[in-house]
Amino acid sequence: MNVKDSEIKALLEKYKKFSVYGLSPDVTKASHYVPAYMRDHGWDMVGTYPKKHETGGFKIYSSLAEVPAEYRKFVDVFRSSDRIDEVVDEALAVGGVEVLWLQLGIANPEAEARAEKAGIKVVSNRCLIIEHKKYF
């Protein structure tokens, strides 16, 4: 993680649109209710998920490459730590990713270092709801 705690509030203020990588159709999973919470608090997001769904009214894309550029600047990731290499590969391939946010319990130091080397700000092992409640 190359983002200091003191920078998190500014990131959330700057990026009001983002993409949720792994936005689940299952409303009981954090990968669904965290984006719903953020949307209810003024953020705008789309999701990526391998299967199309319309749960919660989110626009879902099957890959990061399909996500409009303005939503691709900040990517909130709900994938297991061992899959973050693939997420970083995809983010680097499509370009335009400025922030990679790995949700609570997700970290992959090697993949994070690759993203950081490419100029991407990385937040790992942090929950958007917890951080939002801290600062807003």
Side-chain angles (χ1 to χ4, degrees):
M1 182 166 113
N2 66 350
V3 174
K4 296 177 183 145
D5 287 348
S6 60
E7 299 172 305
I8 289 178
K9 182 180 181 189
L11 279 180
L12 294 177
E13 289 173 334
K14 179 178 180 180
Y15 296 95
K16 295 301 235 180
K17 292 183 177 187
F18 60 90
S19 176
V20 180
Y21 198 103
L23 198 157
S24 176
D26 183 343
V27 299
T28 66
K29 290 188 173 184
S31 54
H32 185 89
Y33 66 75
V34 169
Y37 171 92
M38 293 303 289
R39 181 182 59 196
D40 291 347
H41 288 85
W43 278 259
D44 182 19
M45 74 242 19
V46 298
T48 60
Y49 198 78
K51 298 174 188 165
K52 294 283 185 189
H53 68 82
E54 297 180 11
T55 310
F58 293 104
K59 175 71 176 160
I60 302 297
Y61 298 92
S62 60
S63 72
L64 201 52
E66 296 175 7
V67 172
E70 69 267 23
Y71 290 94
R72 209 169 45 229
K73 291 179 181 180
F74 185 117
V75 180
D76 177 31
V77 181
F78 286 92
R79 296 286 293 175
S80 61
S81 295
D82 63 337
R83 305 297 296 267
I84 299 306
D85 272 324
E86 298 165 20
V87 176
V88 170
D89 289 345
E90 189 174 351
L92 295 177
V94 300
V97 176
E98 298 173 9
V99 177
L100 191 64
W101 184 292
L102 307 179
Q103 280 288 332
L104 194 61
I106 305 170
N108 182 317
E110 296 81 19
E112 291 173 45
R114 284 193 309 118
E116 291 168 2
K117 186 175 179 182
I120 297 172
K121 291 181 182 288
V122 177
V123 176
S124 60
N125 192 28
R126 297 292 177 102
C127 175
L128 278 171
I129 291 176
I130 292 169
E131 298 306 318
H132 177 269
K133 287 181 177 183
K134 232 187 260 187
Y135 299 111
F136 299 94

